[in-house]
Amino acid sequence: MKKTKDIKSYEEYLFQRELSKGTREIYIRQARELLIFLGDKAITKRIMIVYKEHLAKKNIAVSTLNLYIVAVNSYLKYSGLKECVIKTKKVQRRKSVENVISVEEYNMLLDYAKESGREKYYYIMKTLALTGIRIGELKFFTVEILDKEMFTVTNKGKIREVYLSEELAGELRSYCKRSKIESGVIFRGNTTGHISRTGVYKMLTGMAEHIGIPKEKVHPQSFRHLFAITYMNRYGNLSELSDILGHSSLETTRIYTATTVQEKRQRLSGLGL
C-alpha cells in the first residue's frame, strides 16, 4: 500500500523551498483535505482522478481548481508518488481584463475616503494606483523608503524595483507626519504590524457599496489593473510595463494592450448594423 508522508515534515519541506507563507498555507490545507478524502484508501492514479472530480464538484473557478490540483500534486511528489499526479484543467487565455475600476470610479472612492475621514485608505488607494503593486506588497512601504523614492520587492521568488513619483512620496511623508508614523511600515493594521490584504479588501468593498460602485470592481488586483491600463494608454511601452509589474513574460503583460470587455461591448453596439 502506497502511503503519503507526514504533514509536519511536508510543512518543513515547503518552508525550505522558500515558498511564501500564503502558498504554504494553501498547500498544507489541500494536503490535509486529500488525506481526509482518502481515509484508509491506498493512493492510486485512479483514486486521484476520482479526487479531481470531487474537487470539480465544489463549483469553484477553474483557476482555483487548478491551484488545488497543483497543491495536491506537490504533496504527491513529495511523498514519492509522482506517478499519481493529476492533470490541471485547460484554461483559455483571457483576451481582456474584466471588472476594471474606471478612473471616474477611482476618483469617487478617493473623494469618499477623504470626506469620511478614512485617510489611511485614501493613501492606500493612491499608492496602489500610482505604483501598480499588489495589496500584499503594501508591507514594503516604510517611512525609510520615502526619501529614496524606490525600494526592492521580493515576491514569488522574483526581485523587482518599485518606484514612487515625487508627488506620491511627498504626500506619504505628509501623511506620516500627521499620523505620527516616524519609522517602519506606513500602512498599519490594528497593531503595529502591516495592514492585512483582507483588511484592505473589506474596507474597499464597504466604501464601494456605499457609493454605488459594484464591489467586484474593487477586487485585490483592480487598482493594479487600473495602473497597467492607464500606463499602456499613456506610454504604450509593453516591455517597460512588464518590468514595472514584475512579470516574467511579456505574454502576461500583453493582456493590457487589449481592450476591456466593456470597451468591446461598446464597440459592438456602435457598429450600426
Side-chain angles (χ1 to χ4, degrees):
M1 180 182 290
K2 293 179 179 179
K3 292 285 188 181
T4 52
K5 290 190 177 180
D6 178 66
I7 289 288
K8 282 289 183 184
S9 60
Y10 178 56
E11 196 167 0
E12 178 61 23
Y13 163 76
L14 295 176
F15 180 80
Q16 294 294 336
R17 283 181 59 196
E18 299 186 41
L19 299 182
S20 70
K21 182 181 177 183
T23 299
R24 295 199 308 270
E25 288 174 350
I26 293 171
Y27 278 33
I28 292 298
R29 184 166 63 249
Q30 292 309 311
R32 287 194 172 117
E33 290 195 10
L34 171 63
L35 294 179
I36 291 170
F37 175 83
L38 291 171
D40 295 326
K41 299 186 189 76
I43 292 282
T44 63
K45 178 72 174 186
R46 182 179 181 81
I47 198 68
M48 290 310 304
I49 292 173
V50 172
Y51 183 67
K52 177 179 173 181
E53 293 171 353
H54 164 74
L55 289 176
K57 289 177 182 177
K58 291 188 174 185
N59 193 29
I60 53 180
V62 176
S63 57
T64 303
L65 172 62
N66 284 341
L67 174 61
Y68 291 172
I69 290 173
V70 169
V72 166
N73 284 343
S74 169
Y75 184 55
L76 291 175
K77 291 173 185 176
Y78 171 73
S79 299
L81 301 168
K82 190 175 180 180
E83 70 279 8
C84 296
V85 300
I86 44 182
K87 294 180 180 179
T88 55
K89 292 275 189 180
K90 288 186 178 179
V91 183
Q92 183 179 4
R93 189 171 69 86
R94 290 186 302 155
K95 302 297 184 183
S96 304
V97 285
E98 299 182 42
N99 291 323
V100 181
I101 190 170
S102 68
V103 174
E104 292 75 17
E105 290 166 332
Y106 164 66
N107 286 321
M108 285 172 64
L109 281 168
L110 288 181
D111 289 342
Y112 179 70
K114 183 175 285 187
E115 291 167 3
S116 60
R118 294 174 172 88
E119 190 178 30
K120 176 168 66 176
Y121 291 93
Y122 172 88
Y123 286 110
I124 283 176
M125 288 188 288
K126 289 206 77 171
T127 298
L128 294 172
L130 288 170
T131 62
I133 64 164
R134 302 173 178 88
I135 287 182
E137 293 169 343
L138 285 169
K139 62 186 176 184
F140 295 108
F141 268 79
T142 63
V143 175
E144 289 75 17
I145 62 97
L146 295 180
D147 287 335
K148 298 178 183 177
E149 297 180 358
M150 64 84 65
F151 61 97
T152 301
V153 166
T154 302
N155 194 358
K156 299 182 179 180
K158 291 178 281 190
I159 299 173
R160 79 180 192 280
E161 291 181 338
V162 174
Y163 300 93
L164 287 71
S165 67
E166 187 176 339
E167 179 185 4
L168 176 61
E171 287 192 51
L172 290 177
R173 285 191 206 98
S174 298
Y175 166 69
C176 289
K177 188 174 181 179
R178 288 192 301 275
S179 304
K180 295 181 172 52
I181 302 171
E182 298 178 354
S183 63
V185 176
I186 295 173
F187 302 114
R188 305 178 182 187
N190 295 327
T191 64
T192 54
H194 65 84
I195 192 167
S196 70
R197 183 174 180 270
T198 303
V200 174
Y201 179 61
K202 284 183 177 179
M203 180 57 75
L204 293 179
T205 52
M207 291 193 297
E209 186 175 13
H210 188 84
I211 58 179
I213 296 174
K215 65 179 183 179
E216 58 267 23
K217 281 196 168 188
V218 291
H219 56 83
Q221 290 282 78
S222 189
F223 295 90
R224 183 170 163 87
H225 290 336
L226 174 63
F227 166 83
I229 290 171
T230 305
Y231 194 95
M232 276 304 300
N233 288 340
R234 180 70 60 87
Y235 303 113
N237 191 325
L238 185 66
S239 178
E240 189 171 77
L241 177 60
S242 182
D243 184 52
I244 291 171
L245 294 177
H247 290 163
S248 55
S249 168
L250 283 179
E251 286 305 308
T252 305
T253 318
R254 201 175 298 281
I255 191 171
Y256 297 115
T257 65
T259 53
T260 66
V261 171
Q262 184 60 31
E263 287 170 335
K264 284 185 171 68
R265 291 195 185 106
Q266 289 174 347
R267 292 182 182 185
L268 289 174
S269 299
L271 288 176
L273 300 176

